[in-house]
Amino acid sequence: MQSTYFDVYAEWQADPEAFWLRAAEALDWSKPVERVFDPDQGAYGRWFVGGETNTCHNCIDRHVKAGRGDQRALIYDSAMNGTKTSFTYDAVLAEVQAIAAVLRNHGVGKGDRVILYMPMVPEAVFSMLACARLGAVHSVVFGGFAAHELAKRIDDSGAKVVISASCGLEPGRIVSYKPLLDHAIDMATAKPDFCLILQRDELHAPLRYEHGDIDFRQAVEVEKVNGTVIDCVPVAATDPLYILYTSGTTGQPKGVVRDNGGHMVALQWTMENLYGVKPGEVFWTASDIGWVVGHSYIVYAPLLAGSTTVLFEGKPVGTPDAGTFWRIVSEYDVKVLFTAPTAFRAIRRDDPDGEYVRHHDLSGLRALFLAGERADPETLKWAETVLKVPVIDHWWQTETGWPMVGNPAGLGLLPFKAGSPTLPMPGYAIDVLDDAGHPVPRGTLGNIVVKLPLPPGCLVSFWNADERFRQSCLEEFPGYYKTADAGLMDDEGYLFVMARTDDIINCAGHRLSTGAMEEVCAMHPDVAECAVVGVADALKGQVPCGFLVLKNRVSRDLGAVEREVIDLVRSEIGPVAAFRTAMVVQRLPKTRFGKILRGTMQKIADGMPWTMPATIDDPGILEEIAEILRQRGYARAAPAVGQDA
Ligand code: COA
Ligand code: AMP
């Protein structure tokens, strides 16, 4: 009889090391693991110590050797330029070998960092795998980030190489990457040795050969003609596979470090058990390789599992319409689809009755998984109604690399509860604590934490910032990893994730730091101080809204200053910040101790009932802000409903 979720979770609880060692047997190791878990290494212990392996081997070569060479590994579909193509495991191996050869010939080896600043093209996936093949550490930077953010990542990682493309394709515009890259390199202190630039037909970039630019396609073609064979370099299971920068509370992003061994084992386990996807089946994650969802479930997990992954360049709507997702599902016989709720809100907005769904044969689709932000029950219900398959919310974050809480399709679905991503996956013991670190009664809101050690596949530290990792994730609740999410657990252990406990906001499934935006607003010469809060948005979940206090001497047109600040955030952080609203206010509401009352401002903007904080310095300010918001179209911003005791 098939094991149920409860059997499997109990198996893990009874003997976590035996559980993960069994999972590791599905993969190839060039040197066997000596200790499944060593509690004395790293910040909370390390997994699969002594073992040697290679992630690229396990994603590609292993399947080729096992006879899967002529199965499709990657399907590429660009709704932006109409390209449709696919690559077998054999073909992926050839592409990856050639890129690895180019990198190796230019001196890239084990441990070197390689930045990828690329659109959604197959070469991006192949480049990630080529780095893994060489034991080099890739760091993918999302294309919607501007030059300054890219420069920070080049510097922090000490990248030896940047792989980029001439352009990305966004609806209505071509994003020229090369000027952004050149500007970033000019700004960065750590200068990469060379840049590989993929020329796309839509826009050719002028290459600066004197600065070490290399034409990606030409260099790769030479290696393909030469038939250069690059063997996988064995790396320690504990060696880093990649760094992925994610928003922290300041403008300095946190470089989440993922190892090779634990990452492979955890992702491989999830494919059949959580997503219910078998080798040879098509799995589609509609996200971007610049985010963790893309790393784990566009690239690594489906390939580790011997499935076929879909790489899609386009949007859920407007490219050309709200039926694009259904075209892809039917055209490629997608068995499981994974995306962010915001994509479904966009589709529902354009196609409320699900008309487009009826134009396609979706009979192969078994489940839809949602993550990246809270799945609002309305959207979830709509998706269920139009797709007629289980819609499964699951909760995780960049730091964990794979789902902490979910409903395991491969183990038999558990009863659903609206608003809950269901139960913890094996590896995760989840608790909810009050601010003093005591468990709260079931049903009470608190800080969601994970009991240490974290399972394989979770972050091992921040790049070059062990102390920052310890302080921001492990210190506040000793013995636990702090997720910085707040929520509650019901009597049956179902988790409900309600909000972040820090200043991170979630905009269109993208994780953004309001602290980082405040740092940029404050750079404007006319701004004395500022606050950025996330306000509710029907499509994107949340969007940032900036409140600016100007310096006394400023007598310019206030609208002009607001527009300049908006432009500044776009040019410093990038379009992905979606920072479109800034408003000048006389003062910011603060407590008597000088703390800005961002939470209250957010409630006012969201039209939620709010009370006047007892500790407020000047009670008139919040009413003034409510009035300004009403004038700006935030019709629901209302006066206080009372005063805190
Ligand atoms: N390169 C360059 N610019 C990019 C970009 C990229 N890879 N991705 C987004 N941008 C730009 C957009 O063009 C937009 O620019 P604009 O201000 O000139 O219009 C801006 O960044 C904001 O992007 P976004 O917030 O994504 O808004 P959107 O209107 O372009 O799309 C959705 C909204 C909901 C359709 C889209 O965000 C989406 O499909 N999200 C769900 C899937 C997903 O990717 N989730 C990520 C984690 S799972
Ligand atoms: P990221 O690191 O970009 O994946 O963002 C992680 C954050 O997104 C989490 O800490 C949550 O705040 C939020 N998040 C992700 N998935 C969910 C979910 N299923 N429900 C609620 N919030 C989610």
Side-chain angles (χ1 to χ4, degrees):
M1 207 180 73
Q2 193 199 4
S3 303
T4 66
Y5 161 81
F6 295 102
D7 301 331
V8 174
Y9 194 79
E11 246 176 64
W12 164 73
Q13 277 177 313
D15 192 343
E17 293 188 25
F19 180 90
W20 290 118
L21 187 60
R22 260 196 311 282
E25 283 163 7
L27 297 154
D28 285 352
W29 300 80
S30 46
K31 188 163 165 253
V33 171
E34 284 163 17
R35 273 192 88 173
V36 181
F37 182 71
D38 182 350
D40 297 325
Q41 290 197 28
Y44 61 85
R46 297 300 304 267
W47 289 96
F48 305 116
V49 174
E52 277 186 5
T53 185
N54 182 285
T55 297
C56 180
H57 165 87
N58 276 291
C59 285
I60 309 297
D61 305 53
R62 181 168 60 100
H63 301 306
V64 169
K65 286 196 178 108
R68 246 176 227 291
D70 54 11
Q71 181 203 302
R72 286 183 308 182
L74 183 138
I75 294 168
Y76 178 56
D77 190 305
S78 171
M80 306 306 299
N81 63 13
T83 306
K84 290 180 188 182
T85 173
S86 68
F87 298 82
T88 61
Y89 274 92
D90 278 339
V92 172
L93 181 58
E95 299 287 341
V96 171
Q97 293 252 23
I99 300 170
V102 174
L103 292 173
R104 197 203 52 185
N105 293 347
H106 285 84
V108 177
K110 194 163 162 175
D112 289 334
R113 272 81 61 208
V114 178
I115 292 267
L116 269 76
Y117 185 55
M118 295 193 90
M120 291 286 280
V121 290
E123 290 82 354
V125 176
F126 304 151
S127 298
M128 292 166 79
L129 292 164
C131 291
R133 192 167 193 87
L134 296 172
V137 180
H138 64 66
S139 185
V140 182
V141 179
F142 178 63
F145 282 119
H148 189 236
E149 289 296 316
L150 178 57
K152 282 184 201 168
R153 288 154 174 81
I154 292 174
D155 270 340
D156 193 73
S157 65
K160 187 167 186 158
V161 186
V162 179
I163 307 182
S164 188
S166 54
C167 66
L169 305 177
E170 283 293 295
R173 73 192 162 104
I174 293 178
V175 184
S176 178
Y177 280 1
K178 192 62 178 25
L180 296 170
L181 172 60
D182 289 344
H183 187 35
I185 292 177
D186 291 343
M187 269 189 284
T189 318
K191 306 289 181 200
D193 292 354
F194 66 99
C195 296
L196 273 178
I197 309 293
L198 177 79
Q199 298 282 21
R200 299 187 78 186
D201 292 344
E202 290 76 10
L203 180 80
H204 272 237
L207 300 189
R208 301 198 296 185
Y209 295 103
E210 69 286 5
H211 284 79
D213 286 351
I214 298 169
D215 185 299
F216 183 102
R217 229 185 283 276
Q218 280 174 9
V220 168
E221 281 312 312
V222 169
E223 297 305 336
K224 277 192 197 160
V225 171
N226 290 346
T228 315
V229 172
I230 300 285
D231 290 331
C232 290
V233 174
V235 295
T238 49
D239 279 343
L241 169 70
Y242 71 74
I243 307 166
L244 179 57
Y245 288 90
T246 189
S247 302
T249 47
T250 67
Q252 184 58 30
K254 307 186 292 192
V256 163
V257 179
R258 195 89 57 209
D259 67 10
N260 276 274
H263 177 247
M264 286 187 333
V265 172
L267 292 189
Q268 158 87 19
W269 184 89
T270 58
M271 282 303 286
E272 274 204 57
N273 293 290
L274 174 56
Y275 296 100
V277 175
K278 297 211 167 8
E281 292 188 329
V282 182
F283 181 72
W284 175 28
T285 298
S287 175
D288 188 288
I289 50 151
W291 307 116
V292 71
V293 170
H295 276 61
S296 294
Y297 291 105
I298 295 174
V299 183
Y300 287 111
L303 297 178
L304 283 165
S307 308
T308 303
T309 188
V310 180
L311 184 74
F312 168 66
E313 182 181 45
K315 306 273 172 180
V317 292
T319 60
D321 54 41
T324 301
F325 271 31
W326 320 134
R327 171 183 70 75
I328 292 191
V329 169
S330 66
E331 211 164 307
Y332 305 119
D333 193 21
V334 171
K335 297 294 179 202
V336 172
L337 167 62
F338 173 5
T339 191
T342 191
F344 267 76
R345 287 197 295 270
I347 293 172
R348 181 182 173 204
R349 187 193 56 185
D350 282 15
D351 182 23
D353 300 325
E355 266 302 311
Y356 282 108
V357 179
R358 288 189 274 279
H359 299 164
H360 299 279
D361 174 11
L362 305 187
S363 56
L365 187 70
R366 289 198 297 260
L368 165 68
F369 281 81
L370 297 176
E373 57 172 327
R374 187 173 155 73
D376 52 293
E378 280 250 316
T379 303
L380 210 134
K381 224 174 157 162
W382 180 83
E384 245 165 23
T385 311
V386 297
L387 293 180
K388 301 183 180 61
V389 295
V391 178
I392 302 167
D393 181 16
H394 59 329
W395 168 71
W396 51 298
Q397 46 186 209
T398 307
E399 288 84 344
T400 65
W402 63 284
M404 292 182 274
V405 170
N407 198 338
L411 298 174
L413 285 174
L414 298 162
F416 287 83
K417 291 192 188 185
S420 170
T422 313
L423 293 176
M425 290 297 100
Y428 295 99
I430 310 264
D431 275 325
V432 182
L433 307 180
D434 65 18
D435 288 347
H438 306 118
V440 297
R442 290 280 166 113
T444 308
L445 195 67
N447 302 283
I448 309 177
V449 293
V450 183
K451 215 169 175 30
L452 293 175
L454 289 169
C458 290
L459 82 171
V460 294
S461 191
F462 296 145
W463 182 253
N464 279 341
D466 293 339
E467 188 49 25
R468 187 178 179 198
F469 170 58
R470 211 187 49 76
Q471 278 177 9
S472 67
C473 299
L474 307 180
E475 196 173 77
E476 192 170 339
F477 302 108
Y480 293 96
Y481 163 75
K482 173 180 134 182
T483 65
D485 277 321
L488 54 94
M489 202 174 257
D490 75 4
D491 287 341
E492 291 179 301
Y494 278 62
L495 190 74
F496 292 76
V497 183
M498 310 305 284
R500 291 283 301 192
T501 59
D502 55 14
D503 64 359
I504 299 291
I505 62 167
N506 212 308
C507 175
H510 308 141
R511 173 167 159 178
L512 302 170
S513 163
T514 55
M517 291 186 225
E518 287 180 3
E519 284 178 24
V520 176
C521 295
M523 282 162 50
H524 189 283
D526 292 341
V527 172
E529 59 175 346
C530 61
V532 175
V533 300
V535 301
D537 181 84
L539 174 66
K540 297 192 178 188
Q542 282 182 303
V543 287
C545 174
F547 297 88
L548 315 172
V549 177
L550 302 191
K551 290 176 182 160
N552 279 338
R553 57 170 175 73
V554 178
S555 55
R556 302 173 52 209
D557 171 36
L558 302 186
V561 178
E562 290 172 1
R563 281 192 298 278
E564 285 165 16
V565 169
I566 289 170
D567 290 345
L568 192 63
V569 174
R570 190 176 172 96
S571 67
E572 287 292 310
I573 297 180
V576 66
F579 186 80
R580 295 205 171 104
T581 312
M583 48 189 95
V584 171
V585 295
Q586 290 304 312
R587 290 150 298 162
L588 291 175
K590 292 182 185 169
T591 65
R592 284 194 286 274
F593 313 106
K595 189 172 171 294
I596 298 173
L597 291 159
R598 293 182 180 80
T600 315
M601 291 161 80
Q602 181 180 344
K603 277 190 183 155
I604 297 174
D606 285 352
M608 309 254 291
W610 61 281
T611 48
M612 189 63 75
T615 55
I616 192 162
D617 186 28
D618 175 354
I621 304 177
L622 281 172
E623 298 288 5
E624 267 175 48
I625 286 187
E627 179 53 32
I628 291 173
L629 281 163
R630 279 193 294 275
Q631 287 167 11
R632 297 289 185 114
Y634 293 80
R636 294 185 307 164
V641 293
Q643 172 131 20
D644 284 352

